[in-house]
Amino acid sequence: MNVNSNLLMYAQWAGILTVALAILTVIAFIFKWGFRFRLVGVTSFMGVIAASIFGLGLGLFSRTEIPGAVRYSLVYDTGGSQTVVTVPPTITESQLEATMQQAAADLYSPGRSGRGRDYLTIRVRTVVHPEPGLSQPLFLGEVRRSLATRDDDKMAIEIFPEKVAILKKYQA
């Protein structure tokens, strides 16, 4: 079972408990029990909890998984229209393209502000070591995707072939 179906099952049980508490509350009012007003609060709170769990189960954890993508780390993110991610220096060109698609899917958020731009730019880099004690960042490509739509059909993936050639020299 995935997390969403578990949450929906928990919401169902919380809803059943809420209905049972509502019935008990009605019975408490009929027989004028002393704790009847407390039951109103408990029933109301359970209704809120059931609705919240149901809302979480509707799709809070939707994540696209691109086959062939490797793990990346977020290096820089303005929360707006620019981000930088880093990949391991052992990455191949096919893995690089899949990882760029994965980063574009993961970093989409409807709450990002473009500050005048309507696209998100994700730059992908790695770090190579030309000689001992010297590190050099190597930008391998960039992705431009829409800030407005989750499923961007016009996403532009640009891999810099000259930088990938430099990376292959360090991999050999």
Side-chain angles (χ1 to χ4, degrees):
M1 272 188 157
N2 66 16
V3 175
N4 286 356
S5 63
N6 280 343
L7 284 173
L8 291 175
M9 182 185 64
Y10 298 149
Q12 179 181 5
W13 281 105
I16 291 169
L17 182 59
T18 302
V19 170
L21 282 170
I23 292 170
L24 184 63
T25 302
V26 169
I27 292 170
F29 271 95
I30 291 172
F31 291 112
K32 298 189 192 287
W33 293 341
F35 57 90
R36 63 186 179 259
F37 295 107
R38 290 182 188 159
L39 282 175
V40 171
V42 171
T43 304
S44 302
F45 184 69
M46 276 306 300
V48 170
I49 294 295
S52 299
I53 295 172
F54 178 72
L56 285 173
L58 288 179
L60 176 68
F61 302 109
S62 64
R63 182 172 189 273
T64 306
E65 205 165 309
I66 307 294
V70 299
R71 293 182 65 89
Y72 65 88
S73 298
L74 187 61
V75 176
Y76 174 77
D77 189 356
T78 62
S81 62
Q82 294 184 355
T83 62
V84 177
V85 297
T86 184
V87 294
T90 56
I91 195 166
T92 65
E93 195 165 350
S94 63
Q95 290 174 331
L96 176 63
E97 184 173 354
T99 304
M100 292 169 84
Q101 291 174 353
Q102 183 71 55
D106 291 347
L107 295 175
Y108 169 79
S109 172
R112 286 188 177 272
S113 65
R115 296 188 185 115
R117 295 184 188 166
D118 58 345
Y119 59 89
L120 169 66
T121 302
I122 304 167
R123 298 186 74 196
V124 180
R125 76 169 191 188
T126 190
V127 177
V128 294
H129 305 285
E131 55 188 62
L134 181 65
S135 297
Q136 176 184 357
L138 188 63
F139 285 92
L140 301 172
E142 72 179 29
V143 180
R144 288 190 179 201
R145 65 153 300 134
S146 170
L147 283 172
T149 59
R150 177 174 294 279
D151 299 322
D152 187 9
D153 297 338
K154 298 176 184 172
M155 179 172 53
I157 297 177
E158 182 181 1
I159 296 176
F160 306 141
E162 65 279 356
K163 303 293 184 171
V164 173
I166 293 171
L167 179 64
K168 286 180 182 177
K169 182 177 81 171
Y170 287 109
Q171 289 174 344

